[in-house]
Amino acid sequence: VFSTSRNLGCSAASLPSTLSTISVLLPPRSLRPGGFFLFVGSIEPGKNLTLLRESYLMAESKGVTLPPLLIVGARWEGVAREAAPPAAWGWRFLGRQSDAVLGALYRRAEALVFPSKYEGFGLPLLEAMRCGCPVVCGRVASLPEVGGDAACYADLEPAAFLRAMVGLLAGDPPREEIAARGRAQAARFTWERCASETVEVYRAALRLDEIRN
């Protein structure tokens, strides 16, 4: 239900200056494609960053090296230690970022990793898919409807998320394939469709009220 030009604002013409901006924010090894995983959302327990911390701990125990995690979003008050990682992992908490920077991050990330426990919709999935960024998420609430057959689903437990992340790094499924599926899935969601279906719900409610009266 989003328009890339309105909400991401990251056209091909604006990308060079945007990359210059993010080069200041990020460690050099995170600027190459595949150099990082991305999380987008509020930093609070429901978004479940703790699960990603546990997945990274499990990877470390198995001798598996994962790219750093870049985290875009505001931290809620009272959760200062939510998912605090060891410094060696290279995680970066970037706070709020502009739509242009967010669009550039989606385009360059290995994947959006989104272990949220519940979503009313799941806009970051659509944003990522529209930019050709693979998505790893749980099969919870609205996310299967939004992700369709384009998302990589994993149980909300550390081993399952780790397997999904390692699989994407290994090209299983191939990035080009999942990016194409993601763009096609995201194209199904437009503000026009949202408005049309919302109006139809109101019309159906009015018809039902007329029948009852």
Side-chain angles (χ1 to χ4, degrees):
V1 296
F2 78 107
S3 160
T4 299
S5 61
R6 180 179 303 170
N7 288 330
L8 291 183
C10 189
S11 66
S14 70
L15 196 55
S17 61
T18 301
L19 293 181
S20 175
T21 300
I22 67 174
S23 70
V24 177
L25 294 172
L26 310 178
R29 73 188 185 105
S30 295
L31 288 173
R32 67 181 186 274
F36 59 91
F37 284 119
L38 180 66
F39 171 89
V40 177
S42 302
I43 302 171
E44 49 92 0
K47 298 301 183 184
N48 211 13
L49 266 174
T50 297
L51 184 149
L52 294 180
R53 185 181 190 279
E54 292 170 354
S55 293
Y56 271 72
L57 281 171
M58 182 174 289
E60 191 173 55
S61 72
K62 295 176 179 291
V64 174
T65 301
L66 294 176
L69 179 67
L70 306 184
I71 300 156
V72 176
R75 183 181 292 277
W76 282 18
E77 291 185 11
V79 292
R81 298 297 298 169
E82 178 72 15
W89 291 356
W91 284 23
R92 290 290 182 97
F93 291 83
L94 303 180
R96 295 183 184 276
Q97 293 296 324
S98 70
D99 290 341
V101 168
L102 182 57
L105 291 173
Y106 279 131
R107 285 179 168 86
R108 298 181 72 80
E110 185 67 33
L112 172 75
V113 284
F114 198 72
S116 179
K117 297 175 182 178
Y118 179 83
E119 290 291 319
F121 185 76
L123 189 58
L125 269 66
L126 281 189
E127 293 175 337
M129 292 188 297
R130 182 63 184 84
C131 292
C133 178
V135 172
V136 180
C137 66
R139 246 183 231 282
V140 296
S142 60
L143 298 187
E145 178 183 357
V146 176
D149 67 353
C152 298
Y153 297 101
D155 292 339
L156 294 183
E157 56 94 13
F161 252 72
L162 177 58
R163 282 194 299 271
M165 290 189 288
V166 170
L168 283 174
L169 291 172
D172 181 23
R175 183 182 180 90
E176 295 78 10
E177 175 187 318
I178 198 167
R181 291 205 308 259
R183 290 190 180 98
Q185 175 69 7
R188 297 178 59 243
F189 295 85
T190 66
W191 283 119
E192 289 77 11
R193 178 187 172 193
C194 177
S196 175
E197 293 185 1
T198 300
V199 168
E200 186 52 41
V201 168
Y202 282 116
R203 286 173 176 163
L206 288 172
R207 289 195 294 268
L208 181 60
D209 187 61
E210 289 172 357
I211 293 170
R212 287 175 175 172
N213 294 327

